Amino acid sequence: MSRAPLLLVLGATGCAGRGVVEAAVAAGRAVLAVAEDAAALQALRQQYPQADLGVLAMPLRSDGDAAALAEAVRNGGRRLQAVIATIGGESASGRLLDQPAEVLRNTLDQDLLPHLVAARHLFPLLPASQHTRYLLVGGPGGGYPWAGYGHRSIAAAALRMLARVLHEEARREGIRVQLLSVDAPLRGADGDVHACAEWPQAAAVGRRALALLEREAPARGGVPAIVDYAASAALTSSKVEVASSPPIRTLPPAVRAADAALRAAPDVPARDLQDARDLLDTFRSFPHPGHRHDEHS
């Protein structure tokens, strides 16, 4: 039986988590996949019958849950080498002002607080060395409001700050904490019919996450707390410029269709036509999951 040190993947049955597991298995890593859905974990385990892949069905909603997880890992007898946390819930879209405060509270409970309790209880299991890694994976909306998902944007922005705080505090313990920020939804292997072509594949994000774990710290300057995901290897800057009026082909399908309809409607009164075009220009200025924004731009 292999005694290789473990890569712990939290939220392993979500889209990002499955991408990380796929990349880790392909790289020959020993993986312990953790999620709340036992059936989904077993399906994940059966997908890789030859891999050194263990599964652990546990909730991660409170300090008590995180303490139980840490105890289970400790009792497993395998040394923990690194953690990749892809924790996140699901929620419907809607204007923040139109929803009760409970929606935002639940989103923070699902997308933010589990990262804190997990880090608090898993840090002591990690060896204090320059090679120790704890990587969080965050979703879209953290740098700029995601229209219709304001509650998710707030949680994503809070996760960015949590990553900065953990990055500073954990350095004293010899643990490197980083956030891989993916400013777009992910496409899984199943080919979601609602996915856009420009969304990154979950497996590609998984490979990027593993690359961050393996990257050596530079001799001077250290590593950044936040790394923005770039779909192209040619994009080496953490800042990606986005035009204020993106080309029509990069707009959401509904906006592209409306724009095309306006262009084909010469009989519309000039004032109404201008009002409609002004509205479309407003839509163009909104970010959508296919675009990246730097919070300092």
Side-chain angles (χ1 to χ4, degrees):
M1 180 177 178
S2 171
R3 307 307 296 173
L6 287 173
L7 167 63
L8 182 63
V9 180
L10 305 179
T13 57
C15 188
R18 291 195 305 271
V20 170
V21 171
E22 178 183 342
V25 167
R29 281 183 172 267
V31 178
L32 177 59
V34 178
E36 192 166 348
D37 189 335
L41 279 173
Q42 287 304 319
L44 185 66
R45 179 69 187 89
Q46 293 170 10
Q47 188 175 347
Y48 306 103
Q50 303 303 318
D52 187 354
L53 173 60
V55 297
L56 189 58
M58 300 189 73
L60 193 54
R61 305 178 186 179
S62 65
D63 273 303
D65 292 340
L69 170 61
E71 186 65 18
V73 173
R74 188 180 293 109
N75 291 340
R78 301 279 293 272
R79 182 168 63 89
L80 188 60
Q81 184 180 51
V83 177
I84 299 181
T86 65
I87 306 165
E90 296 183 359
S91 55
S93 63
R95 283 206 330 153
L96 190 66
L97 291 174
D98 294 337
Q99 303 178 85
E102 194 67 24
V103 171
L104 177 58
R105 182 178 294 111
N106 289 338
T107 302
L108 295 174
D109 285 343
Q110 294 174 6
D111 293 2
L112 179 68
L113 296 181
H115 281 288
L116 173 59
V117 298
R120 178 182 295 134
H121 291 275
L122 292 176
F123 278 2
L125 302 185
L126 291 166
S129 77
Q130 62 176 341
H131 301 295
T132 298
R133 312 287 196 274
Y134 194 105
L135 183 68
L136 300 85
V137 178
Y144 201 94
W146 183 6
Y149 291 89
H151 49 298
R152 300 291 297 273
S153 291
I154 292 170
L159 182 60
R160 293 176 74 91
M161 182 53 69
L162 176 64
R164 288 191 173 96
V165 173
L166 294 178
H167 178 80
E168 291 300 320
E169 294 186 356
R171 284 198 301 182
R172 306 166 190 169
E173 303 174 28
I175 297 173
R176 181 190 302 182
V177 177
Q178 290 181 285
L179 168 69
L180 177 59
S181 179
V182 187
D183 201 14
L186 302 183
R187 289 184 292 145
D190 297 333
D192 185 352
V193 295
H194 301 292
C196 294
E198 62 266 30
W199 293 358
Q201 288 280 359
V205 173
R207 291 190 293 271
R208 181 73 174 101
L210 287 184
L212 283 176
L213 292 186
E214 296 164 358
R215 177 177 295 178
E216 292 297 328
R220 299 177 62 183
V223 297
I226 298 174
V227 177
D228 290 319
Y229 176 82
S232 170
L235 296 177
T236 56
S237 173
S238 63
K239 296 184 178 181
V240 178
E241 293 184 0
V242 179
S244 59
S245 297
I248 296 299
R249 57 183 171 80
T250 66
L251 296 172
V255 178
R256 295 201 302 267
D259 189 272
L262 283 176
R263 292 171 183 271
D267 295 332
V268 175
R271 181 173 180 177
D272 292 344
L273 187 60
Q274 185 59 50
D275 288 345
R277 284 177 173 158
D278 288 345
L279 180 59
L280 280 177
D281 287 340
T282 300
F283 286 150
R284 288 192 184 97
S285 69
F286 288 166
H288 65 89
H291 292 291
R292 295 171 46 77
H293 297 263
D294 185 86
E295 61 188 359
H296 302 297
S297 61

